[in-house]
Each structure stands twice: as C-alpha cells, then as structure tokens.
Amino acid sequence: MRLGGGAYWRSDNWFVRMGLLHAFGQSDLSLNETPTAGYNLLKMEISHRKFFRDSPWGATEIITGLVGDNLLDVDVRNHVQFHKDEILLPGRSIKFFMNARFGGNGPSAPPPYFKGLRSFGPSNGYGA
C-alpha cells in the first residue's frame, strides 16, 4: 500500500513542484517471500522558461531546471521484484536539464489556468 501527495506552483516563467510518496512495509507474505521495509520518496523540480524572439536561430524557447529524485537517499526495495534483496532502486539523484524549441511562435499569454465551465451552446460547436 502506498500513500502520497504533492504541491506545485506556476507563474509565467517559473514552475516548482514537490511530491512525497510513502510506501508501507510488506509483511503479508507468500511461500519463500521475505518482508520488505517501508520507505519515503521525496521528489522536487524547479524550472525556468525563457522566450527569445530575436536569436541567431530564430524564435527560441529555452527551459532550464533541476530535478531531484529520492532526495532522502533511502534504500528502496520493490517488493514484487524477484531479486529485491540484492537490487535497490536508484538512490539520490539531482539532474540539470535544458529543453530548447526553435522556430516557433512565442507565448501570447501566461499559461492557461482554469477559467471556469463553458456553456455548450451553438456558438462553440456543441449544439444545433
């Protein structure tokens, strides 16, 4: 059994998110199985988006950021793995990333947020 949650924040150019997953220990065993301890996984990401209208390569959007996985550096054993006692899931990792898009149109507005429900009438193609 697992239980988790997270939160995020977004603005025009920034995106930040964090998530925590708790996996409960496994002690309901079948023949030849061994118990597995519980663990907590903490993940975080922060990224920045920048649009360059006039760059040497044309319109360019660049997203850079950091992603951290298993930030608590716990030993994670997947109970359904046959070799769980010998093989751990990856430990703490922090990665820098960069994504670039070339030749596109720039953002015309901030990211789309929830704007409420729309009616389903003839003006938007859902009715007669």
Side-chain angles (χ1 to χ4, degrees), residues 6 11 18-19 28 34-35 39 50 77 84 86 90:
S11 72
M18 178 179 81
D28 185 15
T34 57
Y39 56 87
K50 180 73 176 166
R77 299 181 190 277
K84 72 173 181 234
E86 293 87 26

Side-chain angles (χ1 to χ4, degrees), residues 20-128:
L20 179 67
L21 173 75
H22 174 73
F24 293 90
Q26 176 69 336
S27 59
D28 185 15
L29 306 173
S30 295
L31 184 63
N32 296 325
E33 280 190 329
T34 57
T36 306
Y39 56 87
N40 292 309
L41 282 179
L42 178 64
K43 295 182 178 188
M44 295 182 80
E45 175 184 345
I46 183 168
S47 61
H48 181 261
R49 181 176 82 165
K50 180 73 176 166
F51 184 76
F52 299 95
R53 211 170 280 288
D54 298 315
S55 73
W57 305 280
T60 306
E61 180 182 27
I62 297 178
I63 301 172
T64 56
L66 289 171
V67 176
D69 289 318
N70 193 1
L71 291 174
L72 301 174
D73 200 23
V74 295
D75 291 342
V76 178
R77 299 181 190 277
N78 187 350
H79 184 77
V80 299
Q81 281 183 323
F82 180 68
H83 294 291
K84 72 173 181 234
D85 294 325
E86 293 87 26
I87 300 173
L88 295 171
L89 293 179
R92 178 184 303 134
S93 67
I94 298 174
K95 299 170 228 163
F96 171 78
F97 69 89
M98 183 180 89
N99 295 330
R101 294 185 204 171
F102 301 100
N105 294 326
S108 59
Y113 296 105
F114 179 73
K115 295 181 182 177
L117 298 174
R118 297 186 344 194
S119 65
F120 292 96
S123 63
N124 59 14
Y126 288 104

Side-chain angles (χ1 to χ4, degrees), residues 9-15 49 111 113:
W9 174 78
R10 176 178 289 183
S11 72
D12 292 347
N13 295 350
W14 289 95
F15 179 69
R49 181 176 82 165
Y113 296 105

